[in-house]
Amino acid sequence: MSAPAATGAVREWRPDYALDVRGLLAPLRRGAGDPALRFTEEGLWYASTTADGPATLRLQRRADGTVVATAWGPGAGRVLDGVPALLGAHDRPEEFVAHHPLVADALHRRPGLRLGATGRVWDVLVAAVLEQKVTGTEAHRSWRELARRFGEPAPGPAPQGIRVPPTPAQLRAIPDWEWHRAGVDNARGRALRASAAVAHRLEKACELGGTAGRELLRLVPGIGVWTAAEVAQRAWGDPDAVSVGDFHIPSVVGWALLGRKLDDAGMLEVLAPYAPQRHRAVRYIEASGFRRPRFGPRFSPRDYRAM
């Protein structure tokens, strides 16, 4: 239960499973300088928008495994209610069956690696759109720029620099030249503005879940299969949402499981035995530490602000 306190609203919760907080929440972190998520000695800090307003969540672990969640801001109650889901309480990894030795080994070594669910589409959608067809460096730079310049300071005693991502209204108010200054090209800017215009409807995707939820997101111009999957993985912990169209994942899956490069079609074929938990299989491959061979130059970042 959550209770008001001078230092914020507090909820204590003890999972009945192995919990790797850093590994579970790693997909929410957008680069080392993410202004919305930070790991400190005091715990994990996560700033987010909610239907009730902005909120800051701090997660701490006790020696007995109890998670102490403290929240500030208008959305404090909502984020506290969502802590179990955020930390994978609704996930069902026990239904997963490993079909490859590398996946089985990762499953054995990382029992606390579950799929969390933020229960909120908007924040993860903004970040996913920014990552469309650009390098992670470019996308993370734009995420930082938008959050720092158009988002709000995180409520409560959050560390300096923690920011709440821009709300749909704040994002729609950004003038064209500011998009350019933040390094966001016209295509991604249009997709974000189109998403902001119907943001309240898109939150229903979390209720629908699965294919239906992803299809709802794809009704927005500029939101394709890859973006919808990236949102589904984080917003409702979709275990089967494969990031088709990703620049790296098909190759990583191919080299890890078959010892050769694959395209999207080949990746889906090799992951078919894992349905309806194909994304979970990819997470285990990534968590295994496997690194594919590198051939040729890396994809170089671009700075749209200089164009």
Side-chain angles (χ1 to χ4, degrees):
M1 298 294 292
S2 59
T7 54
V10 180
R11 173 175 179 171
E12 296 186 3
W13 174 71
R14 186 173 180 177
D16 59 359
Y17 50 83
L19 178 60
D20 175 2
V21 174
R22 281 180 174 261
L24 191 151
L25 297 181
L28 296 178
R29 194 182 188 200
R30 309 294 179 162
D34 189 340
L37 191 153
R38 187 181 302 177
F39 293 97
T40 72
E41 293 183 356
E42 294 181 296
L44 175 139
W45 296 84
Y46 181 47
S48 64
T49 65
T50 79
D52 299 326
T56 302
L57 176 67
R58 183 183 66 194
L59 298 177
Q60 300 169 303
R61 293 290 300 279
R62 288 181 178 163
D64 65 357
T66 299
V67 175
V68 181
T70 310
W72 297 264
R78 191 174 289 268
V79 296
L80 287 177
D81 288 343
V83 165
L86 179 67
L87 297 181
H90 299 164
D91 192 24
R92 295 293 178 267
E94 65 276 5
E95 299 174 359
F96 181 80
V97 177
H99 297 278
H100 295 83
L102 181 142
V103 176
D105 181 66
L107 174 62
H108 175 73
R109 290 188 295 106
R110 300 291 298 274
L113 189 62
R114 302 171 74 93
L115 302 180
T118 67
R120 175 76 171 167
V121 166
W122 175 250
D123 293 356
V124 293
L125 176 61
V126 173
V129 171
L130 290 175
E131 293 178 350
Q132 291 178 351
K133 299 182 180 180
V134 298
T135 65
T137 299
E138 295 171 87
H140 297 160
R141 181 175 60 209
S142 296
W143 173 250
R144 292 193 302 269
E145 289 280 332
L146 293 177
R148 289 171 179 171
R149 295 176 55 221
F150 302 104
E152 301 178 18
Q160 185 176 5
I162 299 289
R163 308 284 293 188
V164 179
T167 65
Q170 289 169 333
L171 188 144
R172 292 180 71 186
I174 298 175
D176 290 343
W177 65 86
E178 294 286 9
W179 287 106
H180 187 270
R181 185 178 175 185
V184 181
D185 60 276
N186 290 334
R188 288 179 295 156
R190 285 193 301 270
L192 286 171
R193 288 191 292 270
S195 299
V198 293
H200 62 292
R201 299 178 186 174
L202 298 182
E203 295 301 331
K204 185 175 177 57
C206 287
E207 300 176 23
L208 295 173
T211 302
R214 299 196 297 272
E215 288 179 348
L216 174 60
L217 298 179
R218 291 182 60 196
L219 294 177
V220 179
I223 305 300
V225 174
W226 181 88
T227 306
E230 291 286 306
V231 173
Q233 294 161 11
R234 296 161 174 82
W236 62 86
D238 191 327
D240 201 46
V242 183
S243 298
V244 175
D246 193 90
F247 185 74
H248 300 287
I249 292 178
S251 182
V252 171
V253 171
W255 281 105
L257 301 186
L258 300 179
R260 57 184 173 85
K261 184 178 180 180
L262 292 175
D263 56 14
D264 281 330
M267 175 185 68
L268 292 176
E269 182 177 354
V270 76
L271 290 178
Y274 291 102
Q277 301 216 22
R278 294 174 297 174
H279 168 59
R280 192 187 307 278
V282 174
R283 282 294 309 276
Y284 281 127
I285 292 170
E286 294 173 332
S288 72
F290 176 85
R291 294 292 181 268
R292 65 183 175 86
R294 295 192 178 276
F295 304 100
R298 295 185 178 185
F299 187 52
S300 300
R302 295 160 291 180
D303 190 343
Y304 286 97
R305 295 171 295 185
M307 296 182 181

